Amino acid sequence: MLKRLTLTALILTMTGCLSPAPAPALVPTPLPLPARPVLPAVTGVELACLSDDVYRRLAERQRRMRHYTEILELIIQSTRTP
């Protein structure tokens, strides 16, 4: 009986769970910030043929693209600071 208890205790201590290996530390890699493109200028005379509705949609499109670009730049810059 003592041999069985000893054998059972020995087996239970040898088959215990191992602690998980620590996860490697994630270090963000700094991303390159591409240069902003030089956009061609558009004069008021060239836009005069557009209706007010089309002009407003074009201005809104431009505003949304600028906002999107600024957000992406902030994301890229966040990889550069610890």
Side-chain angles (χ1 to χ4, degrees):
M1 175 88 170
L2 184 57
K3 285 185 180 180
R4 279 189 190 168
L5 287 175
T6 307
L7 183 59
T8 304
L10 183 61
I11 289 173
L12 289 175
T13 58
M14 293 176 64
T15 60
C17 296
L18 295 175
S19 61
L26 298 177
V27 178
T29 304
L31 298 172
L33 184 63
R36 283 190 176 191
V38 176
L39 301 175
V42 180
T43 65
V45 173
E46 294 170 316
L47 295 174
C49 64
L50 299 178
S51 69
D52 289 344
D53 182 53
V54 173
Y55 183 84
R56 275 192 288 277
R57 285 188 288 141
L58 186 61
E60 178 64 17
R61 179 181 178 275
Q62 180 67 25
R63 187 193 64 76
R64 288 182 185 186
M65 286 298 292
R66 185 177 57 250
H67 179 70
Y68 179 71
T69 303
E70 290 169 355
I71 296 245
L72 292 179
E73 286 178 351
L74 286 174
I75 291 170
I76 291 173
Q77 289 171 355
S78 73
T79 67
R80 296 167 176 240
T81 57

